């Protein structure tokens, strides 16, 4: 359904709105635990996710992808910014309102073994959200558990087994069933296939696509597997050192990457055709990723960028729309006047966040 979705995104309802999202972790030192700085894991991220689509979030390990996903559904207390899901403010909601919103947003975690309580049976794991958020009777709850097991392809005879009795793929199916228990609108998939065997990865991704088509789900699909993102995502956002540097339709991003970091990232994806693999150019970035506790002045990517200019070292590029539906933070397109004089809705909203107008 991904390709058909691309043509509809402009007219679709926006389900998730993120403006100026920041997630900083304080650094303390010494006996008195003095605050000496912050790790800027997510630093001013803005994007929208449309109802029924899959937004792929990609980048190197440590770029802030998982932190961003957790912050969206407030598994972390957000440092700053605005996050709304289905029109309801998440980032600053009080505990009572947040609890009422929980059924609409769920998460599938990266490690299916660590995310399941080893002392709980499958029935207890899937049934726990139903106990917490519904008034179902025991019989109704049991029927719903069986319904969810059928939906994710688990045999009903497994209902009283413990997590250690399942394979990795089966454990991830349990995690997906738990996420679906309360009929959510939005699911954050945090590298849901990274811990699985290659032979199982396709099964889990196909299951996610099937459930999305049947239930009308919306996904934020976080992954470092670009080939899988190309398969499942409708649009792709590229993160580097806590910031989104490029966002656009999947086919456009993979066919014509604009940001130098996106070019380097995609050049690492192997081609199945040996003749093409032998002729294509691999872009190898020099140096290490800077520390998110002390990011470079100007553009975060300036220390490794093969196309760096002098202005990149002192002026932070503005994240804006450079082509219809494509957002970018790069001075190369300032110089080329690709979108001279234009200001995207996201850029305008960032200004409003800074001015406190979207509180």
């Amino acid at each position: 359904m991904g390709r058909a979705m691309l043509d509809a995104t402009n007219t679709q309802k926006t389900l998730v709105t993120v403006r100026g999202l920041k997630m900083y972790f304080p650094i303390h030192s010494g006996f008195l635990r003095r605050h000496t700085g912050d790790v800027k894991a997510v630093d001013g991220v803005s994007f929208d996710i449309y109802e029924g689509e899959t937004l792929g979030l990609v980048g190197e390990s440590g770029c802030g992808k998982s932190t961003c996903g957790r912050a969206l559904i407030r598994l972390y207390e957000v440092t700053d910014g605005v996050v709304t899901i289905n029109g309801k403010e998440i980032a600053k909601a009080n505990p009572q309102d947040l609890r009422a919103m929980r059924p609409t947003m769920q998460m599938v975690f990266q490690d299916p073994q660590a995310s399941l309580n080893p002392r709980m049976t499958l029935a207890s794991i899937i049934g726990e959200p139903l106990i917490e958020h519904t008034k179902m009777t025991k019989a109704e709850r049991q029927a719903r558990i069986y319904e969810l097991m059928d939906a994710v392809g688990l045999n009903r005879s497994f209902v009283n087994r413990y997590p250690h009795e399942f394979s990795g793929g089966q454990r991830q199916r349990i995690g997906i069933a738990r996420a679906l228990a309360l009929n959510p609108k939005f699911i954050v998939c945090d590298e849901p296939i990274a811990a699985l065997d290659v032979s199982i990865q396709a099964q889990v991704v196909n299951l996610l696509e099937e459930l999305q088509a049947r239930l009308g789900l919306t996904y934020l699909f976080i992954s470092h597997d670009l080939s899988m993102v190309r398969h499942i995502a409708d649009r792709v956002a590229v993160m580097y050192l806590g910031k989104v540097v490029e966002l656009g339709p999947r086919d456009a991003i993979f066919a014509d990457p604009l940001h130098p970091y996106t070019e380097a990232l995609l050049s690492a994806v192997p081609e199945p055709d040996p003749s093409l693999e032998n002729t294509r150019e691999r872009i190898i970035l020099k140096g290490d990723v800077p520390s998110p506790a002390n990011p470079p002045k100007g553009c975060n990517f300036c220390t490794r960028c093969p196309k760096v200019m002098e202005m990149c070292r002192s002026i932070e590029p503005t994240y804006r729309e450079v082509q219809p539906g494509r957002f970018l933070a790069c001075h190369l397109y300032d110089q080329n006047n690709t979108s001279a004089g234009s200001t995207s809705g996201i850029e305008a909203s960032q200004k409003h966040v800074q001015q406190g107008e979207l509180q």
Side-chain angles (χ1 to χ4, degrees), residues 119-134:
R119 292 184 174 89
M120 294 174 69
T121 63
L122 185 154
S124 300
I125 291 169
I126 299 178
E128 188 175 28
L130 302 174
I131 295 173
E132 287 291 319
H133 291 277
T134 72

Side-chain angles (χ1 to χ4, degrees), residues 216-291:
L217 300 171
T218 302
Y219 294 145
L220 175 66
F221 189 86
I222 300 168
S223 181
H224 60 264
D225 187 337
L226 295 174
S227 59
M228 198 60 76
V229 169
R230 187 171 193 172
H231 170 76
I232 195 173
D234 300 299
R235 293 184 301 138
V236 177
V238 181
M239 279 192 77
Y240 181 80
L241 206 62
K243 296 180 182 290
V244 172
V245 296
E246 185 169 358
L247 185 152
R250 172 202 56 207
D251 291 342
I253 291 285
F254 278 87
D256 182 28
L258 300 179
H259 198 282
Y261 177 65
T262 311
E263 291 180 349
L265 207 60
L266 295 181
S267 77
V269 181
E271 282 283 350
D273 186 340
S275 59
L276 292 177
E277 176 68 20
N278 291 334
T279 57
R280 73 190 187 99
E281 179 185 0
R282 171 72 195 278
I283 302 172
I284 300 177
L285 299 176
K286 297 180 180 179
D288 296 324
V289 179
S291 168

Side-chain angles (χ1 to χ4, degrees), residues 330-342:
C330 183
H331 286 307
L332 288 172
Y333 293 85
D334 294 339
Q335 294 292 92
N336 295 336
N337 294 317
T338 304
S339 61
S342 70

Side-chain angles (χ1 to χ4, degrees), residues 338-352:
T338 304
S339 61
S342 70
T343 302
S344 70
I346 284 184
E347 183 185 349
S349 296
Q350 286 176 312
K351 292 178 181 177
H352 293 163

Side-chain angles (χ1 to χ4, degrees), residues 317-336:
T318 303
Y319 178 67
R320 72 199 198 292
E321 193 171 18
V322 296
Q323 295 176 7
R326 297 196 68 174
F327 297 87
L328 189 70
C330 183
H331 286 307
L332 288 172
Y333 293 85
D334 294 339
Q335 294 292 92
N336 295 336

Side-chain angles (χ1 to χ4, degrees), residues 36 73 103 110 165 215 221-222 226 260 272 282:
T36 58
I73 60 173
Q110 177 176 349
E165 299 179 84
L215 304 175
F221 189 86
I222 300 168
L226 295 174
R282 171 72 195 278

Side-chain angles (χ1 to χ4, degrees), residues 13-17 51 84-90 104 185:
K13 175 185 174 184
T14 299
L15 182 70
V16 181
T17 301
E51 196 172 73
T84 62
I85 299 179
N86 202 28
K88 296 180 179 179
E89 169 61 57
I90 300 296
T104 66
K185 292 180 178 292

